Amino acid sequence: MPSSPGRQRTPRTSLSRERILAAAVQVADERGIASVTMRKVAEHLGVEAMSLYHHVANKDEILDGIVDVVFGEIELPVGQFDWKTTMRRRAVSARHVLARHPWALGLMESRRHPGPSTLRHHDSVIGSLRAAGFSIGMAAHAFSALDSYIYGFVLQESNLPFRTTEELEDMAETIVQRMPAGVYPHLAEMIADHALQPGYAYGDEFTFGLDLILDGLERALLGPGAPARGGPFRQTGADRSAPPPPG
Amino acid sequence: MPSSPGRQRTPRTSLSRERILAAAVQVADERGIASVTMRKVAEHLGVEAMSLYHHVANKDEILDGIVDVVFGEIELPVGQFDWKTTMRRRAVSARHVLARHPWALGLMESRRHPGPSTLRHHDSVIGSLRAAGFSIGMAAHAFSALDSYIYGFVLQESNLPFRTTEELEDMAETIVQRMPAGVYPHLAEMIADHALQPGYAYGDEFTFGLDLILDGLERALLGPGAPARGGPFRQTGADRSAPPPPG
DNA sequence: GCCGTATCTTACAAGTGTAAGGATCAGCGG
DNA sequence: CCGCTGATCCTTACACTTGTAAGATACGGC
C-alpha cells in the first residue's frame, strides 16, 4: 500500500515483467506489432524506455513473452465434458483470443522459444485427446489438424480486408472494379450472391470446418476403418503402442 | 538487345518491376522479411536504392507485389481430374510454395490489396468447386476450410523450431530440461515416443488433415445432410432432406 | 542518514524511406 | 560526325526511429 503518494506518478515498485508484457500486448493490439518498441511500451506505462531493462533482458524477451501471454489467455481443456465438446470449446476460445491479438500468429513464425503457458496448453490438449482414447499417433494427427485449422482460420479472418459489413461492401466494389470484362466470374458470383447477402459473416464459417474435422476425428476414433484416403489409417493394434522402430 | 556492353554492368534497361519483385522475394527468402528494404533489394540487383522508385511507387507496392508473386507460384486447379484430386493437388502445391516463402503468411495480415494472381487463384478454386456441384454456400465453406487448414499447417510447420531431425533433438532436449518434476507429461510422451521415433517428419501430418477435410466435404456434397453442427452424422436417409442446392 | 536498487537522462551508431538534383546513356534529327 | 532529349540510374541528404550502453539521480527500507 503506497503510503504517501505525493506525486502523481505511480508508486515506486509499479514496474514488473508482467506489467511490461501486458503493456506490450496492449500496444500491439492497438497500434500493431511494429509499434511494439521499447519506447512505446515504456510510454504506455508512464516510464522511460531504459527502465524496462531492469525487468527484461532485451526486446526479444518481450516478444517471446507476449506470445506466451496470448497462449495463456486460451481456455484450457477441462475434463468435465466429452472430448469433442472439450476440443470445440478450446478451439472457439483459441479463435477468439487469437482474433483479439492477430499479431501473435505473425510472431510465431519468428519466435523459437515456447513459454510455459504455451507448453502447458499443448500438454493439456494432448492429454485430453489421450484420455479420450486416441493413440499417440492419432492424437498427433488430431492436434496438428485442429491447430492448423484454427490458426489458418484466424489468419484468413484478419486477412480478409473487411470486418464490418460496410468495409466488405467497399472491398467488394474495389474488386468488382478490377473486372473489366468479367474476369474472376466465380469470385464475383460468390461476393454478390453470397458474401454480400444480409446476415453473412465470415466468422460463421468457423464452426463448419471445425465440426468437419471433429467429426472426422470421431470417425477415426470409433470405427477403425479408413477415415481418410481409403487406405492406410487404422487405429488398432500397431498404432496403439509406441510404433515399433522400423528396422 | 544490348549491342555493345563495354561495361561490366548489366545493360541499361535491366531494371523492371518484375525483376524488382523477384529480387525482393529472394531477399525475403534468404534473409527474412525484415531484411526487405529498398537498399537491400537494390543491392541484390546491383543497383542503388533510389533507382527502384522509377518502377515502383513505394515500398508498400513491393510488399503487396511479392505476396502476389507467391500466389502466382501456386499451381492453379485444372479441370482434367475429379474435384478431389484437383483440390488435393492445389493444396499440396500451395503448401510447398508457402513453405518456400514462409514470410508470405505473415505479410498477409498487413496487406489489404490482393493482386491479380491472388484473385485469379481464388476465382479458379471457387470455379472448380462450383463445377463439381457444390452450392455457393458449400463452396464458401469448402474454400474457407481448405485454405484455413493449408495456411495454418504451413504456419505450424515453419513455427516448429525443427526442420531437420537434428534440430528436433536439440529442441526436444531443451523442452525436456524444462520439466523438472514431470510437468508436461503428455507433451513429453509425444516427443519421446512419437516425434523422436525414426522416420517421423511433421510434414507427413499434412495429408491426414487434408484428407479428413476432403472426405468430409465429399460427404457433404453427396448426401446433402447436415455434415456439421449436428451430432455424429451418418450417411443414411434422415439427413437427405436439407437445403436443395440453389438452382 | 545510508545503501542498494529502480528509474531517468543523455548519447550513440546503425538503419529506415524517400525527396531533390546531378550524371550517364540510347536513340534521334541534323 | 555533332549535339539534343528524355528516360534511367546515382549521389547526397534529411528527418526519423530503433535498441541499448553509461552514468547521474531519486527513492524506500533499514
Side-chain angles (χ1 to χ4, degrees):
Chain A
M1 47 188 76
S3 54
S4 59
R7 288 169 149 250
Q8 287 199 324
R9 206 181 306 159
T10 46
R12 203 58 192 295
T13 61
S14 67
L15 227 46
S16 72
R17 198 189 122 99
E18 285 168 21
R19 271 177 42 86
I20 290 175
L21 293 185
V25 168
Q26 237 180 87
V27 170
D29 286 347
E30 293 170 6
R31 304 225 201 284
I33 188 64
S35 292
V36 176
T37 71
M38 303 305 274
R39 280 171 242 260
K40 299 263 180 62
V41 171
E43 187 186 12
H44 206 91
L45 289 163
V47 147
E48 295 304 309
M50 289 310 294
S51 304
L52 306 181
Y53 284 92
H54 279 247
H55 302 89
V56 295
N58 48 33
K59 191 187 173 182
D60 270 345
E61 191 179 318
I62 292 187
L63 294 182
D64 282 335
I66 58 178
V67 170
D68 205 51
V69 166
V70 169
F71 267 92
E73 288 181 15
I74 301 176
E75 183 180 307
L76 275 186
V78 286
Q80 65 187 109
F81 305 112
D82 63 308
W83 71 268
K84 243 175 130 178
T85 305
T86 304
M87 284 297 110
R88 201 193 326 264
R89 286 175 60 97
R90 204 267 313 192
V92 169
S93 171
R95 164 162 108 88
H96 284 139
V97 168
L98 291 173
R100 222 177 14 238
H101 314 295
W103 42 267
L105 287 178
L107 262 193
M108 281 176 52
E109 190 204 335
S110 53
R111 301 292 102 193
R112 312 256 103 146
H113 299 109
S117 294
T118 307
L119 295 174
R120 202 159 91 101
H121 176 90
H122 290 172
D123 187 72
S124 178
V125 171
I126 297 172
S128 290
L129 291 169
R130 293 287 284 150
F134 285 93
S135 69
I136 295 188
M138 197 53 81
H141 286 339
F143 186 48
S144 168
L146 282 170
D147 272 33
S148 291
Y149 178 71
I150 296 167
Y151 296 162
F153 188 89
V154 173
L155 200 66
Q156 288 203 83
E157 201 174 14
S158 66
N159 169 32
L160 291 190
F162 43 83
R163 237 193 118 84
T164 59
T165 315
E166 198 176 336
E167 282 179 339
L168 183 144
E169 283 167 5
D170 286 358
M171 160 76 175
E173 197 172 358
T174 304
I175 289 189
V176 170
Q177 278 177 352
R178 285 193 216 170
M179 313 184 196
V183 219
Y184 319 131
H186 305 106
L187 198 53
E189 181 197 40
M190 177 153 292
I191 291 175
D193 296 350
H194 190 69
L196 284 181
Q197 292 303 308
Y200 176 82
Y202 178 70
D204 296 344
E205 299 280 1
F206 184 66
T207 56
F208 175 85
L210 178 59
D211 286 329
L212 208 66
I213 294 175
L214 287 173
D215 289 342
L217 291 176
E218 184 173 49
R219 206 169 291 113
L221 177 65
L222 296 182
R229 223 5 167 349
F233 297 107
R234 303 185 327 157
Q235 133 114 1
T236 48
D239 213 9
R240 210 62 204 220
S241 54
Chain B
M1 46 191 83
S3 54
S4 59
R7 284 167 150 253
Q8 287 201 324
R9 206 182 307 160
T10 46
R12 202 59 192 292
T13 59
S14 67
L15 228 46
S16 71
R17 197 189 122 99
E18 285 168 22
R19 271 176 42 86
I20 290 175
L21 292 185
V25 167
Q26 237 179 88
V27 170
D29 286 346
E30 293 169 6
R31 303 226 201 283
I33 188 64
S35 292
V36 175
T37 71
M38 302 304 275
R39 281 173 241 258
K40 298 263 181 61
V41 171
E43 188 186 11
H44 207 91
L45 290 163
V47 148
E48 296 304 308
M50 290 310 293
S51 304
L52 306 181
Y53 284 92
H54 278 123
H55 302 91
V56 296
N58 48 33
K59 190 188 173 182
D60 269 346
E61 191 179 317
I62 292 187
L63 294 182
D64 283 334
I66 58 178
V67 170
D68 206 51
V69 166
V70 169
F71 267 92
E73 288 181 15
I74 301 176
E75 183 181 306
L76 275 186
V78 285
Q80 66 187 108
F81 304 113
D82 63 307
W83 71 268
K84 243 174 129 178
T85 305
T86 304
M87 284 297 110
R88 200 193 326 263
R89 286 174 60 97
R90 204 266 314 190
V92 169
S93 171
R95 165 161 109 88
H96 284 138
V97 168
L98 291 173
R100 223 178 11 241
H101 314 294
W103 42 266
L105 287 178
L107 263 191
M108 280 175 54
E109 189 204 337
S110 53
R111 302 291 101 193
R112 312 255 102 145
H113 299 108
S117 294
T118 307
L119 295 174
R120 201 159 93 100
H121 176 90
H122 290 172
D123 186 73
S124 179
V125 171
I126 298 172
S128 290
L129 291 169
R130 294 286 285 151
F134 284 93
S135 69
I136 294 189
M138 197 55 82
H141 285 339
F143 186 49
S144 168
L146 283 170
D147 271 32
S148 291
Y149 177 72
I150 296 167
Y151 296 162
F153 188 89
V154 173
L155 199 67
Q156 289 204 83
E157 201 173 14
S158 66
N159 170 30
L160 291 190
F162 43 83
R163 238 193 117 83
T164 59
T165 315
E166 198 178 336
E167 282 179 339
L168 184 144
E169 283 167 5
D170 286 356
M171 160 77 176
E173 198 172 356
T174 305
I175 289 188
V176 169
Q177 278 178 351
R178 287 193 214 170
M179 312 186 197
V183 220
Y184 321 130
H186 305 105
L187 199 52
E189 182 197 38
M190 178 153 291
I191 290 175
D193 296 350
H194 190 71
L196 284 182
Q197 292 304 308
Y200 176 82
Y202 178 71
D204 296 344
E205 299 281 1
F206 185 65
T207 55
F208 174 85
L210 178 59
D211 286 329
L212 209 66
I213 294 175
L214 287 174
D215 288 343
L217 291 175
E218 184 174 47
R219 221 175 326 257
L221 176 64
L222 296 182
R229 235 327 158 23
F233 58 88
R234 324 187 349 162
Q235 302 209 53
T236 47
D239 293 342
R240 225 55 209 233
S241 51

